[in-house]
Amino acid sequence: MTKALEGKLALVTGASKGIGAATALAFAEAGAHVVLTARDVRALEAVEDRIHEAGGASTIAPIDLAESDGIARLASAIAGRWDKLDYLVISAAYLPTLSPVTQIDGKQFSQAVTTNLLATQALLSNFDPLLKRADAARVIGLTSSVGETPRAYWSAYGATKAAFDNLLDAYAQEVEKISKVRVATIDPGATRTAMRAKAYPGEDPATVKPPEDVAKRLVDLVITDFQTRHRERID
């Protein structure tokens, strides 16, 4: 099989499970060396084992995106080993308990803001130099429909995703004329993940698509390429 992404370096956040893990596997299968990051070391090791068993290449980098200096340390470590970053896939996200606006749990809301928004800014800031050194770097951020269209009881998550979308789009505009970095915001749609099960506990998982379908589309997207500020929903 042709390795369309051979020689490329990809960083995938939230790579220990769900869409992030599936994306890491798919990028590695396409030939990229994948840096997997998440908090769960054992889960990351399990994903890495699957990549290596399939003949792929990867490196695990366990960090908590909520740590103030974790992302900076990760960027420094990657820059010490590689001279560029071709793909940044921002998959990690935190879903607070669904509730009315007036009953949002402050601690959970703070964690969502940190994971979904502040960490995204830190990723873009710290990896911008490495992205600009690549021939054609691509940033893909995974969003949610509730960030674009407010929905009752989803405000704590939706507000952070609305800000996430705004941040990515602003970054895309800022680097468009001065670099070859392009940015896409992707709504994976209903997907069989632990986050989905948390939000829809009564749903039959078999009725929604597996994360591998989303991962395949993301790989196809970078192979066929896209215009910056691209946005789509995967149905």
Side-chain angles (χ1 to χ4, degrees):
M1 184 177 116
T2 302
K3 301 291 186 179
L5 303 184
E6 189 169 1
K8 303 294 186 181
L9 179 68
L11 170 62
V12 180
T13 72
S16 62
K17 60 184 178 181
I19 294 173
T23 298
L25 287 158
F27 270 75
E29 183 179 6
H33 185 111
V34 184
V35 178
L36 305 88
T37 186
R39 291 178 299 173
D40 191 330
V41 178
R42 289 188 178 181
L44 284 176
E45 290 175 340
V47 177
E48 183 175 53
D49 286 345
R50 291 177 61 189
I51 289 175
H52 291 176
E53 287 168 4
S58 64
T59 301
I60 63 170
I63 65 164
D64 183 349
L65 294 179
E67 292 182 358
S68 59
D69 64 344
I71 294 172
R73 286 188 284 105
L74 175 62
S76 178
I78 290 177
R81 182 172 175 184
W82 292 280
D83 60 358
K84 63 182 176 61
L85 177 63
D86 299 285
Y87 307 117
L88 171 60
V89 181
I90 306 174
S91 176
Y94 175 75
L95 174 67
T97 300
L98 305 186
S99 69
V101 171
T102 55
Q103 296 176 29
I104 290 175
D105 181 283
K107 185 176 180 180
Q108 291 187 23
F109 193 23
S110 179
Q111 184 172 347
V113 170
T114 299
T115 303
N116 304 345
L117 180 60
L118 300 184
T120 298
Q121 188 279 330
L123 284 165
L124 295 174
S125 176
N126 284 280
F127 285 99
D128 177 69
L130 284 173
L131 289 166
K132 286 177 177 173
R133 289 176 196 159
D135 293 334
R138 301 293 179 258
V139 177
I140 298 178
L142 297 185
T143 190
S144 170
S145 59
V146 296
E148 186 174 25
T149 305
R151 187 185 307 168
Y153 308 107
W154 284 79
S155 58
Y157 183 65
T160 64
K161 279 303 183 179
F164 173 86
D165 293 357
N166 189 295
L167 199 69
L168 280 177
D169 196 277
Y171 174 72
Q173 294 179 54
E174 290 161 3
V175 300
E176 182 177 7
K177 303 297 185 182
I178 61 172
S179 75
K180 296 181 180 179
V181 180
R182 294 181 184 174
V183 182
T185 306
I186 306 299
D187 176 2
T191 307
R192 194 183 309 155
T193 63
M195 182 181 289
R196 177 80 183 184
K198 177 183 176 182
Y200 298 93
E203 182 179 69
D204 179 1
T207 62
V208 294
K209 65 181 177 298
E212 289 74 17
D213 287 3
V214 177
K216 181 180 183 302
R217 174 55 188 150
L218 298 185
V219 170
D220 289 343
L221 192 62
V222 298
I223 290 176
T224 59
D225 215 358
F226 55 85
Q227 293 297 314
T228 198
R229 302 179 68 193
H230 173 78
R231 185 182 181 102
E232 71 173 82
R233 177 181 171 90
I234 304 173
D235 290 316

mmCIF file of all heavy atoms in Angstrom, residues 3 22 26 33 41 47 51 56 79 85 106 163 206 213:
data_model
loop_
_atom_site.group_PDB
_atom_site.id
_atom_site.type_symbol
_atom_site.label_atom_id
_atom_site.label_comp_id
_atom_site.label_asym_id
_atom_site.label_seq_id
_atom_site.Cartn_x
_atom_site.Cartn_y
_atom_site.Cartn_z
ATOM 1 N N LYS A 3 2.259 4.660 0.986
ATOM 2 C CA LYS A 3 2.252 5.436 2.221
ATOM 3 C C LYS A 3 2.268 6.915 1.857
ATOM 4 O O LYS A 3 3.330 7.536 1.747
ATOM 5 C CB LYS A 3 3.463 5.065 3.072
ATOM 6 C CG LYS A 3 3.540 3.588 3.459
ATOM 7 C CD LYS A 3 2.438 3.207 4.436
ATOM 8 C CE LYS A 3 2.619 1.785 4.917
ATOM 9 N NZ LYS A 3 1.580 1.377 5.891
ATOM 10 N N ALA A 22 -8.143 6.607 16.977
ATOM 11 C CA ALA A 22 -8.393 6.141 15.610
ATOM 12 C C ALA A 22 -7.621 6.988 14.599
ATOM 13 O O ALA A 22 -7.091 6.479 13.610
ATOM 14 C CB ALA A 22 -9.890 6.187 15.308
ATOM 15 N N ALA A 26 -4.740 5.832 11.986
ATOM 16 C CA ALA A 26 -4.929 6.067 10.547
ATOM 17 C C ALA A 26 -3.766 6.845 9.944
ATOM 18 O O ALA A 26 -3.307 6.534 8.837
ATOM 19 C CB ALA A 26 -6.246 6.811 10.309
ATOM 20 N N HIS A 33 4.896 9.507 10.961
ATOM 21 C CA HIS A 33 5.338 9.221 12.325
ATOM 22 C C HIS A 33 4.410 10.043 13.217
ATOM 23 O O HIS A 33 4.320 11.267 13.065
ATOM 24 C CB HIS A 33 6.785 9.638 12.544
ATOM 25 C CG HIS A 33 7.301 9.249 13.903
ATOM 26 N ND1 HIS A 33 8.243 8.280 14.085
ATOM 27 C CD2 HIS A 33 6.975 9.696 15.149
ATOM 28 C CE1 HIS A 33 8.494 8.135 15.382
ATOM 29 N NE2 HIS A 33 7.723 9.000 16.054
ATOM 30 N N VAL A 41 -1.354 7.048 30.345
ATOM 31 C CA VAL A 41 -0.142 6.430 29.805
ATOM 32 C C VAL A 41 -0.419 5.034 29.270
ATOM 33 O O VAL A 41 0.019 4.677 28.167
ATOM 34 C CB VAL A 41 0.970 6.369 30.882
ATOM 35 C CG1 VAL A 41 2.214 5.686 30.313
ATOM 36 C CG2 VAL A 41 1.314 7.769 31.367
ATOM 37 N N VAL A 47 -2.332 2.051 22.255
ATOM 38 C CA VAL A 47 -2.472 2.568 20.891
ATOM 39 C C VAL A 47 -1.143 2.444 20.155
ATOM 40 O O VAL A 47 -1.093 2.035 18.993
ATOM 41 C CB VAL A 47 -2.943 4.041 20.897
ATOM 42 C CG1 VAL A 47 -3.001 4.592 19.471
ATOM 43 C CG2 VAL A 47 -4.323 4.158 21.556
ATOM 44 N N ILE A 51 -0.055 0.468 16.647
ATOM 45 C CA ILE A 51 0.635 1.117 15.527
ATOM 46 C C ILE A 51 1.883 0.321 15.137
ATOM 47 O O ILE A 51 2.119 0.041 13.957
ATOM 48 C CB ILE A 51 1.014 2.566 15.898
ATOM 49 C CG1 ILE A 51 -0.249 3.442 15.954
ATOM 50 C CG2 ILE A 51 2.001 3.148 14.877
ATOM 51 C CD1 ILE A 51 -0.004 4.858 16.434
ATOM 52 N N GLY A 56 3.777 0.586 11.760
ATOM 53 C CA GLY A 56 3.858 2.037 11.765
ATOM 54 C C GLY A 56 4.867 2.565 12.767
ATOM 55 O O GLY A 56 5.488 1.804 13.511
ATOM 56 N N ALA A 79 10.683 19.710 19.219
ATOM 57 C CA ALA A 79 11.632 20.542 18.470
ATOM 58 C C ALA A 79 13.064 20.047 18.631
ATOM 59 O O ALA A 79 13.908 20.242 17.751
ATOM 60 C CB ALA A 79 11.525 21.991 18.930
ATOM 61 N N LEU A 85 6.819 20.286 12.046
ATOM 62 C CA LEU A 85 5.605 19.524 12.344
ATOM 63 C C LEU A 85 4.666 19.702 11.163
ATOM 64 O O LEU A 85 4.303 20.822 10.813
ATOM 65 C CB LEU A 85 4.937 20.039 13.628
ATOM 66 C CG LEU A 85 3.617 19.357 14.007
ATOM 67 C CD1 LEU A 85 3.831 17.879 14.299
ATOM 68 C CD2 LEU A 85 2.986 20.050 15.221
ATOM 69 N N GLY A 106 -19.160 24.877 38.330
ATOM 70 C CA GLY A 106 -18.050 25.786 38.079
ATOM 71 C C GLY A 106 -16.726 25.081 37.845
ATOM 72 O O GLY A 106 -15.941 25.478 36.978
ATOM 73 N N ALA A 163 -15.837 29.278 21.180
ATOM 74 C CA ALA A 163 -14.579 30.014 21.329
ATOM 75 C C ALA A 163 -13.443 29.275 20.618
ATOM 76 O O ALA A 163 -12.558 29.909 20.018
ATOM 77 C CB ALA A 163 -14.248 30.178 22.811
ATOM 78 N N ALA A 206 -24.466 1.100 18.246
ATOM 79 C CA ALA A 206 -24.433 0.555 16.885
ATOM 80 C C ALA A 206 -25.137 1.463 15.880
ATOM 81 O O ALA A 206 -24.974 1.294 14.671
ATOM 82 C CB ALA A 206 -25.053 -0.828 16.855
ATOM 83 N N ASP A 213 -14.277 5.890 10.982
ATOM 84 C CA ASP A 213 -14.819 6.593 9.818
ATOM 85 C C ASP A 213 -14.351 8.046 9.797
ATOM 86 O O ASP A 213 -14.029 8.607 8.743
ATOM 87 C CB ASP A 213 -16.349 6.549 9.826
ATOM 88 C CG ASP A 213 -16.899 5.173 9.467
ATOM 89 O OD1 ASP A 213 -16.092 4.245 9.266
ATOM 90 O OD2 ASP A 213 -18.137 5.031 9.390
#
